[in-house]
Amino acid sequence: MRYGVNDMRPIKLTMQAFGTYVERCEIDFSGFGQTGLYLVTGNTGAGKTTIFDAITYALYGEMSGDNREAKMMRSKYADSDTDTFVELVFDCGGKEYTIRRNPEYERKKRRGDGMTVQPASVLLTMPDGSTHEKDVRQRVEQEIIMLTREQFRQTVMIAQGDFLKLLYASSKERQPLLRTLFGTENFERLKIRLIEECKAIAVQREKLKSSIRQYAESIQCDDIPEYTGSVSANSQAANTSELISIIEKLNEAGEKKERSLIRSSKAVQKEYAEALKAQERFDNILKRLEELKTSQEKNEKDISAYEAELKILKAELETIGKTKSELEAEMKSLADAPAVLERRKAELSAVNSELDEVMALVNKLKELDSAESEVEEKKNIHHKLTEEKKKLETKSAEVLEKAAELKKRIAELENEPARKVSAEAKKTAMNSEIVSLEKLISDAEECGNKEKAYINAKKKYTAAAEKYETVRSEYEQLERACDDARAGIIAEHLEEGKPCPVCGSLHHPKLAVKAENVPTEKELEKKKQETEKARAVKDSANNEAAKLSGECDAAYSSLFDEADKLLGDHKGDIRSSAEKSIALLKRSVSDIDAEIAEAESLISERTAKIKETEKCEAQLDKLAGDMKSAEEKCSAALAEIANSDGRYAQMKKTVSAELEERTGENSLENAAEKVNELLAEKKSAAEAAEKNVFAEKERIKRAEVINIKLGGLADREKSANEKISEKNAGAAASRSLLESCKAEIEKLLGEPDFDGSEESAKLKKAVVRKLETEKKELDKQLGDLRSRIDTNKKAAKNISAKGEELSIAVERTKWLEELENTAQGSVGKQNKIPFETYVLLHNFDGMIKHANRLLYNMTDGHYTLCSTAINDKRKYVGLDLNVYDHWNSTERDVRTLSGGESFLAALSLALGLSEEVQMSSGGVRLDSMFVDEGFGSLDDSSLDLVMSALDELSYGSRLVGIISHVDELKDRIENKLMIIKDPQHGSRVKVIC
């Protein structure tokens, strides 16, 4: 980063519809020149700070503060078609840049009606005319101004409020304020992350050890049982190398045993195969003999069966010939059956026609009776429907009354759910309070332990501080003696009228006298080293005591804050008060449990009533539908009665006419009897005709059956002859097979080493079973052994893998813990300053150094600030801030300063921070800055000193803007930006040069 070249200075700022600036507003800073002061003044809320916001937004795309976002800056008074934007023209390093930026906002559409979203955008114009729309903020931070937004805020806008907080803050409060000012949060986050990673790696190590122990549990020591204890011990210690060594020995012994078992198994397998082969040959001969005997018996039976069947077939041929002659004679007597059948069919047709006509009349009489019955039936249906409708109306009234009673009870129980929720909330709150009180008791015990540790550390610091003060005093005496000696030596060579080499004066009215017994440089250096060593011991003790003090204060502060919140007036006896409160709360919880149980019972009753009410309402809906349906059915039944009456009258008229035609009478009184007599007559004639037709059909069927039988007899005769030939051939084949079986049986009985006895068979099977049992036992032993070896190999593989991971984790733990100790300031066995605190102290000292140059001048040599390292329970080492009074050589608390003096001190701190940030940014110089408010607390004399200091600050090439309401400044500062607030048109700026 280049040094002293990025002298950023705004030239012109343009705003439109931005904050309080509704109309286009241009501020030309070039009229103020390149150096000096100018005043930014105006009423409260006019938009003074908005100018700095606009500059910050143009450069970085964010506001100067954290409370507002850019998209909130769209002026609410602007027209919907007015664009919102900020444009900044600025000089940096002698080159001119332009940035135009707008936030996201809603505006009127260019075409058509309605609104649209204008997206955020930015355009950077470089000195050579090139433009950029992307990575503009990165270019500003890394190539142009070389400051981040946070650094820009710290160096360009000097807001007095933040530094008054810093000035008046307690030591405990000062660290977070400095963290915000210097942006050291990342150091604290780094420390926290390292702590978390150390915890995580510790958890990982334990998990890996647990995995190793789990895998070690699967190690099987059957082959060397005495290794069981060693496996257990090394498993608990997660000693992976020893575990793997044991597994290798186990597997070596197992593999040796496996080779022995394999040899035994092969020998038994060979014997078993030979015995099995001998048994198989014996069994095969027995089996073949059984098969041959079975075949012999079968063939003998087949021969007997063939002979019996042949006898039956020959008898059947004789029977077939006799039956065939009888059927041919009967067939001749049935030759006229077809002609006779046709005559009988004609007679039957005529009789059936007359019968059908009579049957039709009978059916009409039945239909007439049915129609009359239908009329009566429909009248009965109508009556039943009317009764059913009345029952539905009664039932509906009963259900309606029941529903009303249920709703009344539901209303009475309406508040029970809320009562239960309220009681449960109380119970939850009480249980939570009990947990908090129990933790409070534990915290009180921890605070006592921390206080004891702090008291011991404080004693060590007091002793170290006393020793340091003694040694330091001796060293300062020696140093003053050396300085006096040097002055005396210089005075010996001074001549009146010649300049002093120290002050340049030509007159020397009082010369220093050369001292005697002056200590040597070696003695002085030795005492200096002794002083530094004593100071280091004191600082170390101070750091430890401060750390414990902070922890103790924080613990007690947190404890008493929590006790005040939970117990109220506990009178310092937190444990007793907490235990009493816990007892009372537990009794209250018991009472609330009873209340919840009662509420739950009533809620269950209410739920049941609601369900019953829903059933009643559903039943009422159904009853309403049923009543409507019953009404419709009654109306339909009346209509059907009328239709049936009309149909009955018409049928009665038709039947009377037909009856007169058939019987000569039209009276329906005895119509059924007359028609039945006629019907009986016709049925009798029809039955006689049908019998005649049936008889002839039976004769024809008999002829057909005889014809079929004759055909069947011919087939049977042919089949019998074929079967006789077949049976003769089968009998011959069976005789041949029988001879073959007898010959093979005789041959098998003559086989060597075969007697066919049952004892021989049992003996051979016993040998096979014995060898088979031995073989299975050896196979099982081999299987178990191989399973153990595989299990142990798998365990070794897993343990080895986890062991490697554990080694990596242990190695990572070492350097993580070193980093954590470094970040926390705990190196070796001594507590050092934490990393963030070291950075804060460095920056704090630099800020005070820059601030004191200004404060000394602004107070006419009266005050400077100093950081202290007093070991006090209420303070953090190195972050205490006092003021040194040069007029009386005393040091006191900064809070003893008056209001005007406090403003000067805060302003000095703010300007000191600006200088420190610029230096820490590689010497980047900001040639334009704003100082915001605080001047109203100064008297005329102090105001003169401040203005002189600010003039000095702006001397050379810096332009400083003062934001203030103070009227005296308007007279003292000629260059002004007057902010005028107009309710109708928004704020506007008047530049006065």
Side-chain angles (χ1 to χ4, degrees), residues 3 70 86 211 248 341 413 467 487 508 540 616 626 638 645 690 695 705 711 729 753 836 841 872:
Y3 181 86
V86 171
S211 295
E248 288 174 351
L341 176 61
L413 301 175
K467 182 177 179 181
H508 320 293
S540 176
C616 287
D626 291 345
L638 285 173
D645 271 339
E690 282 182 353
V705 169
D753 298 328
E836 185 195 20
L841 288 173
D872 192 306

mmCIF file with all atom_site columns, all heavy atoms in Angstrom, residues 3 70 86 211 248 341 413 467 487 508 540 616 626 638 645 690 695 705 711 729 753 836 841 872:
data_model
loop_
_atom_site.group_PDB
_atom_site.id
_atom_site.type_symbol
_atom_site.label_atom_id
_atom_site.label_alt_id
_atom_site.label_comp_id
_atom_site.label_asym_id
_atom_site.label_entity_id
_atom_site.label_seq_id
_atom_site.pdbx_PDB_ins_code
_atom_site.Cartn_x
_atom_site.Cartn_y
_atom_site.Cartn_z
_atom_site.occupancy
_atom_site.B_iso_or_equiv
_atom_site.pdbx_formal_charge
_atom_site.auth_seq_id
_atom_site.auth_comp_id
_atom_site.auth_asym_id
_atom_site.auth_atom_id
_atom_site.pdbx_PDB_model_num
ATOM 1   N N   . TYR A 1 3   ? 2.240    5.110    0.588   1.00 0.00 ? 3   TYR A N   1
ATOM 2   C CA  . TYR A 1 3   ? 2.215    5.979    1.756   1.00 0.00 ? 3   TYR A CA  1
ATOM 3   C C   . TYR A 1 3   ? 2.002    7.435    1.351   1.00 0.00 ? 3   TYR A C   1
ATOM 4   O O   . TYR A 1 3   ? 2.728    7.982    0.534   1.00 0.00 ? 3   TYR A O   1
ATOM 5   C CB  . TYR A 1 3   ? 3.531    5.872    2.530   1.00 0.00 ? 3   TYR A CB  1
ATOM 6   C CG  . TYR A 1 3   ? 3.568    6.732    3.769   1.00 0.00 ? 3   TYR A CG  1
ATOM 7   C CD1 . TYR A 1 3   ? 3.063    6.247    4.960   1.00 0.00 ? 3   TYR A CD1 1
ATOM 8   C CD2 . TYR A 1 3   ? 4.072    8.027    3.731   1.00 0.00 ? 3   TYR A CD2 1
ATOM 9   C CE1 . TYR A 1 3   ? 3.082    7.034    6.095   1.00 0.00 ? 3   TYR A CE1 1
ATOM 10  C CE2 . TYR A 1 3   ? 4.091    8.815    4.866   1.00 0.00 ? 3   TYR A CE2 1
ATOM 11  C CZ  . TYR A 1 3   ? 3.603    8.323    6.049   1.00 0.00 ? 3   TYR A CZ  1
ATOM 12  O OH  . TYR A 1 3   ? 3.615    9.084    7.174   1.00 0.00 ? 3   TYR A OH  1
ATOM 13  N N   . ALA A 1 70  ? -29.825  1.468    2.915   1.00 0.00 ? 70  ALA A N   1
ATOM 14  C CA  . ALA A 1 70  ? -29.862  2.374    1.768   1.00 0.00 ? 70  ALA A CA  1
ATOM 15  C C   . ALA A 1 70  ? -31.265  2.484    1.175   1.00 0.00 ? 70  ALA A C   1
ATOM 16  O O   . ALA A 1 70  ? -31.717  3.563    0.788   1.00 0.00 ? 70  ALA A O   1
ATOM 17  C CB  . ALA A 1 70  ? -28.868  1.902    0.704   1.00 0.00 ? 70  ALA A CB  1
ATOM 18  N N   . VAL A 1 86  ? -27.478  9.432    -5.755  1.00 0.00 ? 86  VAL A N   1
ATOM 19  C CA  . VAL A 1 86  ? -26.409  10.228   -5.161  1.00 0.00 ? 86  VAL A CA  1
ATOM 20  C C   . VAL A 1 86  ? -25.237  10.174   -6.136  1.00 0.00 ? 86  VAL A C   1
ATOM 21  O O   . VAL A 1 86  ? -24.901  9.094    -6.634  1.00 0.00 ? 86  VAL A O   1
ATOM 22  C CB  . VAL A 1 86  ? -25.978  9.670    -3.788  1.00 0.00 ? 86  VAL A CB  1
ATOM 23  C CG1 . VAL A 1 86  ? -24.717  10.373   -3.307  1.00 0.00 ? 86  VAL A CG1 1
ATOM 24  C CG2 . VAL A 1 86  ? -27.074  9.835    -2.771  1.00 0.00 ? 86  VAL A CG2 1
ATOM 25  N N   . SER A 1 211 ? -14.611  -45.931  19.566  1.00 0.00 ? 211 SER A N   1
ATOM 26  C CA  . SER A 1 211 ? -14.690  -46.855  18.426  1.00 0.00 ? 211 SER A CA  1
ATOM 27  C C   . SER A 1 211 ? -13.647  -47.960  18.546  1.00 0.00 ? 211 SER A C   1
ATOM 28  O O   . SER A 1 211 ? -13.919  -49.131  18.279  1.00 0.00 ? 211 SER A O   1
ATOM 29  C CB  . SER A 1 211 ? -14.495  -46.080  17.122  1.00 0.00 ? 211 SER A CB  1
ATOM 30  O OG  . SER A 1 211 ? -15.546  -45.171  16.918  1.00 0.00 ? 211 SER A OG  1
ATOM 31  N N   . GLU A 1 248 ? -2.391   -60.095  15.635  1.00 0.00 ? 248 GLU A N   1
ATOM 32  C CA  . GLU A 1 248 ? -1.499   -60.822  14.725  1.00 0.00 ? 248 GLU A CA  1
ATOM 33  C C   . GLU A 1 248 ? -1.055   -62.148  15.340  1.00 0.00 ? 248 GLU A C   1
ATOM 34  O O   . GLU A 1 248 ? -0.995   -63.188  14.655  1.00 0.00 ? 248 GLU A O   1
ATOM 35  C CB  . GLU A 1 248 ? -0.290   -59.946  14.409  1.00 0.00 ? 248 GLU A CB  1
ATOM 36  C CG  . GLU A 1 248 ? -0.626   -58.778  13.487  1.00 0.00 ? 248 GLU A CG  1
ATOM 37  C CD  . GLU A 1 248 ? 0.556    -57.840  13.309  1.00 0.00 ? 248 GLU A CD  1
ATOM 38  O OE1 . GLU A 1 248 ? 1.561    -58.004  14.037  1.00 0.00 ? 248 GLU A OE1 1
ATOM 39  O OE2 . GLU A 1 248 ? 0.461    -56.927  12.456  1.00 0.00 ? 248 GLU A OE2 1
ATOM 40  N N   . LEU A 1 341 ? -96.748  -89.716  -36.422 1.00 0.00 ? 341 LEU A N   1
ATOM 41  C CA  . LEU A 1 341 ? -96.399  -88.552  -35.571 1.00 0.00 ? 341 LEU A CA  1
ATOM 42  C C   . LEU A 1 341 ? -96.905  -87.245  -36.166 1.00 0.00 ? 341 LEU A C   1
ATOM 43  O O   . LEU A 1 341 ? -97.409  -86.369  -35.453 1.00 0.00 ? 341 LEU A O   1
ATOM 44  C CB  . LEU A 1 341 ? -94.881  -88.480  -35.400 1.00 0.00 ? 341 LEU A CB  1
ATOM 45  C CG  . LEU A 1 341 ? -94.358  -87.267  -34.613 1.00 0.00 ? 341 LEU A CG  1
ATOM 46  C CD1 . LEU A 1 341 ? -94.916  -87.262  -33.191 1.00 0.00 ? 341 LEU A CD1 1
ATOM 47  C CD2 . LEU A 1 341 ? -92.836  -87.263  -34.597 1.00 0.00 ? 341 LEU A CD2 1
ATOM 48  N N   . LEU A 1 413 ? -68.793  -24.758  29.961  1.00 0.00 ? 413 LEU A N   1
ATOM 49  C CA  . LEU A 1 413 ? -67.409  -25.262  30.035  1.00 0.00 ? 413 LEU A CA  1
ATOM 50  C C   . LEU A 1 413 ? -66.473  -24.580  29.053  1.00 0.00 ? 413 LEU A C   1
ATOM 51  O O   . LEU A 1 413 ? -65.362  -25.042  28.824  1.00 0.00 ? 413 LEU A O   1
ATOM 52  C CB  . LEU A 1 413 ? -67.414  -26.773  29.768  1.00 0.00 ? 413 LEU A CB  1
ATOM 53  C CG  . LEU A 1 413 ? -68.252  -27.620  30.722  1.00 0.00 ? 413 LEU A CG  1
ATOM 54  C CD1 . LEU A 1 413 ? -68.253  -29.070  30.250  1.00 0.00 ? 413 LEU A CD1 1
ATOM 55  C CD2 . LEU A 1 413 ? -67.732  -27.542  32.150  1.00 0.00 ? 413 LEU A CD2 1
ATOM 56  N N   . LYS A 1 467 ? 7.987    -4.423   45.509  1.00 0.00 ? 467 LYS A N   1
ATOM 57  C CA  . LYS A 1 467 ? 9.387    -4.654   45.130  1.00 0.00 ? 467 LYS A CA  1
ATOM 58  C C   . LYS A 1 467 ? 9.755    -3.820   43.914  1.00 0.00 ? 467 LYS A C   1
ATOM 59  O O   . LYS A 1 467 ? 10.847   -3.231   43.858  1.00 0.00 ? 467 LYS A O   1
ATOM 60  C CB  . LYS A 1 467 ? 9.594    -6.143   44.845  1.00 0.00 ? 467 LYS A CB  1
ATOM 61  C CG  . LYS A 1 467 ? 11.049   -6.471   44.491  1.00 0.00 ? 467 LYS A CG  1
ATOM 62  C CD  . LYS A 1 467 ? 11.239   -7.960   44.276  1.00 0.00 ? 467 LYS A CD  1
ATOM 63  C CE  . LYS A 1 467 ? 12.692   -8.269   43.907  1.00 0.00 ? 467 LYS A CE  1
ATOM 64  N NZ  . LYS A 1 467 ? 12.897   -9.726   43.675  1.00 0.00 ? 467 LYS A NZ  1
ATOM 65  N N   . ALA A 1 487 ? 24.869   17.323   32.661  1.00 0.00 ? 487 ALA A N   1
ATOM 66  C CA  . ALA A 1 487 ? 24.662   18.785   32.600  1.00 0.00 ? 487 ALA A CA  1
ATOM 67  C C   . ALA A 1 487 ? 25.888   19.522   33.116  1.00 0.00 ? 487 ALA A C   1
ATOM 68  O O   . ALA A 1 487 ? 26.298   20.564   32.574  1.00 0.00 ? 487 ALA A O   1
ATOM 69  C CB  . ALA A 1 487 ? 23.421   19.163   33.428  1.00 0.00 ? 487 ALA A CB  1
ATOM 70  N N   . HIS A 1 508 ? 24.201   32.457   29.807  1.00 0.00 ? 508 HIS A N   1
ATOM 71  C CA  . HIS A 1 508 ? 24.211   31.315   30.724  1.00 0.00 ? 508 HIS A CA  1
ATOM 72  C C   . HIS A 1 508 ? 24.313   31.853   32.135  1.00 0.00 ? 508 HIS A C   1
ATOM 73  O O   . HIS A 1 508 ? 25.382   31.806   32.766  1.00 0.00 ? 508 HIS A O   1
ATOM 74  C CB  . HIS A 1 508 ? 25.393   30.390   30.425  1.00 0.00 ? 508 HIS A CB  1
ATOM 75  C CG  . HIS A 1 508 ? 25.628   30.219   28.938  1.00 0.00 ? 508 HIS A CG  1
ATOM 76  N ND1 . HIS A 1 508 ? 24.748   29.585   28.109  1.00 0.00 ? 508 HIS A ND1 1
ATOM 77  C CD2 . HIS A 1 508 ? 26.650   30.656   28.144  1.00 0.00 ? 508 HIS A CD2 1
ATOM 78  C CE1 . HIS A 1 508 ? 25.210   29.601   26.875  1.00 0.00 ? 508 HIS A CE1 1
ATOM 79  N NE2 . HIS A 1 508 ? 26.380   30.269   26.863  1.00 0.00 ? 508 HIS A NE2 1
ATOM 80  N N   . SER A 1 540 ? 3.209    -9.544   35.225  1.00 0.00 ? 540 SER A N   1
ATOM 81  C CA  . SER A 1 540 ? 2.655    -10.898  35.138  1.00 0.00 ? 540 SER A CA  1
ATOM 82  C C   . SER A 1 540 ? 1.646    -11.140  36.255  1.00 0.00 ? 540 SER A C   1
ATOM 83  O O   . SER A 1 540 ? 0.553    -11.660  36.035  1.00 0.00 ? 540 SER A O   1
ATOM 84  C CB  . SER A 1 540 ? 3.790    -11.921  35.210  1.00 0.00 ? 540 SER A CB  1
ATOM 85  O OG  . SER A 1 540 ? 3.259    -13.241  35.222  1.00 0.00 ? 540 SER A OG  1
ATOM 86  N N   . CYS A 1 616 ? -76.365  -34.808  17.192  1.00 0.00 ? 616 CYS A N   1
ATOM 87  C CA  . CYS A 1 616 ? -77.757  -34.327  17.205  1.00 0.00 ? 616 CYS A CA  1
ATOM 88  C C   . CYS A 1 616 ? -78.051  -33.475  15.970  1.00 0.00 ? 616 CYS A C   1
ATOM 89  O O   . CYS A 1 616 ? -79.113  -33.603  15.338  1.00 0.00 ? 616 CYS A O   1
ATOM 90  C CB  . CYS A 1 616 ? -78.023  -33.511  18.475  1.00 0.00 ? 616 CYS A CB  1
ATOM 91  S SG  . CYS A 1 616 ? -78.127  -34.515  19.971  1.00 0.00 ? 616 CYS A SG  1
ATOM 92  N N   . ASP A 1 626 ? -85.649  -36.715  5.939   1.00 0.00 ? 626 ASP A N   1
ATOM 93  C CA  . ASP A 1 626 ? -86.629  -37.820  5.965   1.00 0.00 ? 626 ASP A CA  1
ATOM 94  C C   . ASP A 1 626 ? -88.055  -37.296  5.928   1.00 0.00 ? 626 ASP A C   1
ATOM 95  O O   . ASP A 1 626 ? -88.927  -37.871  5.261   1.00 0.00 ? 626 ASP A O   1
ATOM 96  C CB  . ASP A 1 626 ? -86.410  -38.659  7.224   1.00 0.00 ? 626 ASP A CB  1
ATOM 97  C CG  . ASP A 1 626 ? -85.100  -39.433  7.173   1.00 0.00 ? 626 ASP A CG  1
ATOM 98  O OD1 . ASP A 1 626 ? -84.530  -39.531  6.065   1.00 0.00 ? 626 ASP A OD1 1
ATOM 99  O OD2 . ASP A 1 626 ? -84.652  -39.927  8.228   1.00 0.00 ? 626 ASP A OD2 1
ATOM 100 N N   . LEU A 1 638 ? -100.935 -40.768  -3.197  1.00 0.00 ? 638 LEU A N   1
ATOM 101 C CA  . LEU A 1 638 ? -102.295 -40.325  -3.584  1.00 0.00 ? 638 LEU A CA  1
ATOM 102 C C   . LEU A 1 638 ? -102.462 -40.355  -5.098  1.00 0.00 ? 638 LEU A C   1
ATOM 103 O O   . LEU A 1 638 ? -103.505 -40.777  -5.629  1.00 0.00 ? 638 LEU A O   1
ATOM 104 C CB  . LEU A 1 638 ? -102.532 -38.904  -3.058  1.00 0.00 ? 638 LEU A CB  1
ATOM 105 C CG  . LEU A 1 638 ? -102.800 -38.783  -1.544  1.00 0.00 ? 638 LEU A CG  1
ATOM 106 C CD1 . LEU A 1 638 ? -102.854 -37.324  -1.132  1.00 0.00 ? 638 LEU A CD1 1
ATOM 107 C CD2 . LEU A 1 638 ? -104.112 -39.488  -1.162  1.00 0.00 ? 638 LEU A CD2 1
ATOM 108 N N   . ASP A 1 645 ? -107.200 -46.772  -9.683  1.00 0.00 ? 645 ASP A N   1
ATOM 109 C CA  . ASP A 1 645 ? -108.682 -46.798  -9.780  1.00 0.00 ? 645 ASP A CA  1
ATOM 110 C C   . ASP A 1 645 ? -109.134 -46.733  -11.236 1.00 0.00 ? 645 ASP A C   1
ATOM 111 O O   . ASP A 1 645 ? -110.012 -47.480  -11.693 1.00 0.00 ? 645 ASP A O   1
ATOM 112 C CB  . ASP A 1 645 ? -109.272 -45.620  -9.000  1.00 0.00 ? 645 ASP A CB  1
ATOM 113 C CG  . ASP A 1 645 ? -109.533 -45.990  -7.543  1.00 0.00 ? 645 ASP A CG  1
ATOM 114 O OD1 . ASP A 1 645 ? -109.631 -47.187  -7.265  1.00 0.00 ? 645 ASP A OD1 1
ATOM 115 O OD2 . ASP A 1 645 ? -109.612 -45.083  -6.685  1.00 0.00 ? 645 ASP A OD2 1
ATOM 116 N N   . GLU A 1 690 ? -101.652 -84.590  -26.514 1.00 0.00 ? 690 GLU A N   1
ATOM 117 C CA  . GLU A 1 690 ? -100.217 -84.603  -26.184 1.00 0.00 ? 690 GLU A CA  1
ATOM 118 C C   . GLU A 1 690 ? -99.726  -86.025  -25.936 1.00 0.00 ? 690 GLU A C   1
ATOM 119 O O   . GLU A 1 690 ? -98.628  -86.391  -26.340 1.00 0.00 ? 690 GLU A O   1
ATOM 120 C CB  . GLU A 1 690 ? -99.963  -83.754  -24.920 1.00 0.00 ? 690 GLU A CB  1
ATOM 121 C CG  . GLU A 1 690 ? -99.954  -82.254  -25.192 1.00 0.00 ? 690 GLU A CG  1
ATOM 122 C CD  . GLU A 1 690 ? -99.660  -81.454  -23.948 1.00 0.00 ? 690 GLU A CD  1
ATOM 123 O OE1 . GLU A 1 690 ? -99.596  -82.049  -22.853 1.00 0.00 ? 690 GLU A OE1 1
ATOM 124 O OE2 . GLU A 1 690 ? -99.500  -80.228  -24.054 1.00 0.00 ? 690 GLU A OE2 1
ATOM 125 N N   . ALA A 1 695 ? -96.478  -90.574  -27.564 1.00 0.00 ? 695 ALA A N   1
ATOM 126 C CA  . ALA A 1 695 ? -96.332  -92.012  -27.855 1.00 0.00 ? 695 ALA A CA  1
ATOM 127 C C   . ALA A 1 695 ? -95.593  -92.221  -29.158 1.00 0.00 ? 695 ALA A C   1
ATOM 128 O O   . ALA A 1 695 ? -94.713  -93.082  -29.270 1.00 0.00 ? 695 ALA A O   1
ATOM 129 C CB  . ALA A 1 695 ? -97.700  -92.689  -27.890 1.00 0.00 ? 695 ALA A CB  1
ATOM 130 N N   . VAL A 1 705 ? -82.607  -95.229  -31.024 1.00 0.00 ? 705 VAL A N   1
ATOM 131 C CA  . VAL A 1 705 ? -81.750  -95.901  -30.037 1.00 0.00 ? 705 VAL A CA  1
ATOM 132 C C   . VAL A 1 705 ? -81.280  -97.246  -30.566 1.00 0.00 ? 705 VAL A C   1
ATOM 133 O O   . VAL A 1 705 ? -80.108  -97.607  -30.427 1.00 0.00 ? 705 VAL A O   1
ATOM 134 C CB  . VAL A 1 705 ? -82.528  -96.085  -28.708 1.00 0.00 ? 705 VAL A CB  1
ATOM 135 C CG1 . VAL A 1 705 ? -81.774  -97.017  -27.774 1.00 0.00 ? 705 VAL A CG1 1
ATOM 136 C CG2 . VAL A 1 705 ? -82.757  -94.733  -28.050 1.00 0.00 ? 705 VAL A CG2 1
ATOM 137 N N   . GLY A 1 711 ? -75.090  -99.794  -34.216 1.00 0.00 ? 711 GLY A N   1
ATOM 138 C CA  . GLY A 1 711 ? -73.770  -99.257  -34.571 1.00 0.00 ? 711 GLY A CA  1
ATOM 139 C C   . GLY A 1 711 ? -72.757  -99.530  -33.457 1.00 0.00 ? 711 GLY A C   1
ATOM 140 O O   . GLY A 1 711 ? -71.605  -99.866  -33.716 1.00 0.00 ? 711 GLY A O   1
ATOM 141 N N   . ALA A 1 729 ? -50.423  -110.488 -27.547 1.00 0.00 ? 729 ALA A N   1
ATOM 142 C CA  . ALA A 1 729 ? -49.054  -109.941 -27.700 1.00 0.00 ? 729 ALA A CA  1
ATOM 143 C C   . ALA A 1 729 ? -48.476  -109.587 -26.340 1.00 0.00 ? 729 ALA A C   1
ATOM 144 O O   . ALA A 1 729 ? -47.294  -109.831 -26.048 1.00 0.00 ? 729 ALA A O   1
ATOM 145 C CB  . ALA A 1 729 ? -49.087  -108.711 -28.601 1.00 0.00 ? 729 ALA A CB  1
ATOM 146 N N   . ASP A 1 753 ? -18.198  -110.565 -2.140  1.00 0.00 ? 753 ASP A N   1
ATOM 147 C CA  . ASP A 1 753 ? -18.346  -109.696 -0.963  1.00 0.00 ? 753 ASP A CA  1
ATOM 148 C C   . ASP A 1 753 ? -19.765  -109.211 -0.773  1.00 0.00 ? 753 ASP A C   1
ATOM 149 O O   . ASP A 1 753 ? -20.024  -108.111 -0.281  1.00 0.00 ? 753 ASP A O   1
ATOM 150 C CB  . ASP A 1 753 ? -17.401  -108.471 -1.052  1.00 0.00 ? 753 ASP A CB  1
ATOM 151 C CG  . ASP A 1 753 ? -15.955  -108.912 -1.087  1.00 0.00 ? 753 ASP A CG  1
ATOM 152 O OD1 . ASP A 1 753 ? -15.646  -109.949 -0.472  1.00 0.00 ? 753 ASP A OD1 1
ATOM 153 O OD2 . ASP A 1 753 ? -15.146  -108.207 -1.725  1.00 0.00 ? 753 ASP A OD2 1
ATOM 154 N N   . GLU A 1 836 ? -6.485   -10.443  21.484  1.00 0.00 ? 836 GLU A N   1
ATOM 155 C CA  . GLU A 1 836 ? -7.317   -9.264   21.197  1.00 0.00 ? 836 GLU A CA  1
ATOM 156 C C   . GLU A 1 836 ? -6.960   -8.121   22.135  1.00 0.00 ? 836 GLU A C   1
ATOM 157 O O   . GLU A 1 836 ? -6.859   -6.961   21.714  1.00 0.00 ? 836 GLU A O   1
ATOM 158 C CB  . GLU A 1 836 ? -8.801   -9.607   21.327  1.00 0.00 ? 836 GLU A CB  1
ATOM 159 C CG  . GLU A 1 836 ? -9.692   -8.433   20.917  1.00 0.00 ? 836 GLU A CG  1
ATOM 160 C CD  . GLU A 1 836 ? -11.132  -8.562   21.358  1.00 0.00 ? 836 GLU A CD  1
ATOM 161 O OE1 . GLU A 1 836 ? -11.406  -9.336   22.283  1.00 0.00 ? 836 GLU A OE1 1
ATOM 162 O OE2 . GLU A 1 836 ? -11.974  -7.864   20.784  1.00 0.00 ? 836 GLU A OE2 1
ATOM 163 N N   . LEU A 1 841 ? -4.710   -2.860   23.315  1.00 0.00 ? 841 LEU A N   1
ATOM 164 C CA  . LEU A 1 841 ? -3.759   -2.033   24.066  1.00 0.00 ? 841 LEU A CA  1
ATOM 165 C C   . LEU A 1 841 ? -2.835   -1.254   23.134  1.00 0.00 ? 841 LEU A C   1
ATOM 166 O O   . LEU A 1 841 ? -2.569   -0.070   23.336  1.00 0.00 ? 841 LEU A O   1
ATOM 167 C CB  . LEU A 1 841 ? -2.934   -2.920   25.000  1.00 0.00 ? 841 LEU A CB  1
ATOM 168 C CG  . LEU A 1 841 ? -3.670   -3.492   26.227  1.00 0.00 ? 841 LEU A CG  1
ATOM 169 C CD1 . LEU A 1 841 ? -2.784   -4.473   26.950  1.00 0.00 ? 841 LEU A CD1 1
ATOM 170 C CD2 . LEU A 1 841 ? -4.105   -2.380   27.155  1.00 0.00 ? 841 LEU A CD2 1
ATOM 171 N N   . ASP A 1 872 ? -6.972   -3.598   40.151  1.00 0.00 ? 872 ASP A N   1
ATOM 172 C CA  . ASP A 1 872 ? -8.158   -3.349   40.974  1.00 0.00 ? 872 ASP A CA  1
ATOM 173 C C   . ASP A 1 872 ? -9.256   -4.276   40.526  1.00 0.00 ? 872 ASP A C   1
ATOM 174 O O   . ASP A 1 872 ? -9.421   -4.527   39.336  1.00 0.00 ? 872 ASP A O   1
ATOM 175 C CB  . ASP A 1 872 ? -8.581   -1.877   40.785  1.00 0.00 ? 872 ASP A CB  1
ATOM 176 C CG  . ASP A 1 872 ? -9.620   -1.479   41.815  1.00 0.00 ? 872 ASP A CG  1
ATOM 177 O OD1 . ASP A 1 872 ? -10.635  -2.192   41.903  1.00 0.00 ? 872 ASP A OD1 1
ATOM 178 O OD2 . ASP A 1 872 ? -9.415   -0.459   42.489  1.00 0.00 ? 872 ASP A OD2 1
#
